[in-house]
Amino acid sequence: MKIIRVLAAAMLAVLFSVTLTSCKEEKSNSVRSSKDTEIEETEPEFDDTKYYVMVGTAGSGNQDVRLRYFDGEDIKAVVWSHSAKDIEYGDIFVDESGTEPVRVESNDVSISPPYRLDSKVELKKIGNCIDIMETLKLEVTSADYDGMGHWSIHLIDEEDTEYYYGFVNDAFFTVDMTSSAKGDEYIFAMNDGKLVIPLETSKPNP
């Protein structure tokens, strides 16, 4: 009888040890899962290579939306036949249908005709540049009008790294750089080391 009690006690000890180990592993896995979730939530949400950014309005009555279309290394000026209501400067859109903007032909040789998206195209808003992208203060080193409505702006950062921002002046821009001059400062949205849009003017101290 005494031997049975000893064996029973030994079996209970082993069972308790296995249960305790199992609980610890479950808790550890739970903590690890929680940490993984937190890391995923803090990772940048923006990783698209094709996207549109709202920069202003276009059309005779400013009834259309003016976009910059980023397609890898290529950047296009796009007019979207869509109301600007509820759309803010710097809003980022993607096209899940894969529709590409179409080049508009123009008889006006003084301007570079933009690309266009018609009113049937639906773009999905994924956020705003100021919330999703990095920002950088840059100083203008030169601002040149190239003709056909196109401007070339050259800038540098605090480490004298050079940047280029080109745009077609065919719309009303919320942040207008056509009057830029050497020494002017701007805060730019950045993506993958490239300039996206100017977010605001930051004039140097007199």
Side-chain angles (χ1 to χ4, degrees):
M1 195 71 174
K2 185 176 182 181
I3 294 175
I4 294 175
R5 288 198 197 97
V6 171
L7 290 175
M11 291 179 64
L12 286 173
V14 171
L15 180 62
F16 177 77
S17 176
V18 171
T19 303
L20 183 61
T21 301
S22 176
C23 289
K24 285 183 178 180
E25 289 179 352
E26 183 178 348
K27 183 178 180 181
S28 176
N29 290 335
S30 176
V31 172
R32 188 181 301 112
S33 175
S34 175
K35 287 183 178 180
D36 290 344
T37 302
E38 289 176 2
I39 292 173
E40 290 176 0
E41 291 177 351
T42 57
E43 289 179 351
E45 298 178 359
F46 184 76
D47 59 0
D48 294 272
T49 57
K50 288 189 176 185
Y51 59 96
Y52 297 85
V53 178
M54 195 277 195
V55 291
T57 54
S60 57
N62 291 322
Q63 75 277 11
D64 297 326
V65 176
R66 176 66 158 74
L67 303 166
R68 276 172 69 85
Y69 177 46
F70 295 82
D71 181 4
E73 296 295 323
D74 192 20
I75 303 174
K76 296 182 176 72
V78 177
V79 175
W80 182 25
S81 299
H82 189 281
S83 172
K85 183 180 179 181
D86 299 327
I87 298 178
E88 297 181 354
Y89 180 76
D91 280 350
I92 305 170
F93 299 88
V94 294
D95 182 7
E96 297 180 329
S97 67
T99 304
E100 291 290 329
V102 179
R103 191 64 180 263
V104 178
E105 297 300 326
S106 174
N107 294 324
D108 188 351
V109 296
S110 66
I111 64 170
S112 178
Y115 289 78
R116 180 172 288 277
L117 290 172
D118 65 34
S119 58
K120 296 179 181 179
V121 176
E122 295 185 6
L123 301 180
K124 177 183 177 182
K125 178 181 173 181
I126 61 173
N128 191 282
C129 288
I130 200 167
D131 300 317
I132 296 178
M133 297 181 177
E134 296 180 354
T135 59
L136 182 66
K137 179 188 286 188
L138 298 173
E139 180 181 333
V140 175
T141 57
S142 66
D144 301 306
Y145 178 64
D146 306 316
M148 297 187 70
H150 189 272
W151 287 80
S152 290
I153 313 295
H154 295 268
L155 311 100
I156 56 172
D157 61 17
E158 293 180 350
E159 299 179 352
D160 290 335
T161 302
E162 297 181 351
Y163 296 86
Y164 170 78
Y165 183 76
F167 65 95
V168 178
N169 183 30
D170 62 347
F172 173 77
F173 296 99
T174 305
V175 179
D176 185 8
M177 296 192 70
T178 57
S179 59
S180 298
K182 183 178 180 179
D184 288 350
E185 295 179 349
Y186 291 85
I187 304 297
F188 269 83
M190 305 281 295
N191 180 48
D192 195 26
K194 301 178 182 64
L195 302 186
V196 179
I197 59 169
L199 296 174
E200 62 179 272
T201 304
S202 176
K203 294 292 184 181
N205 294 326

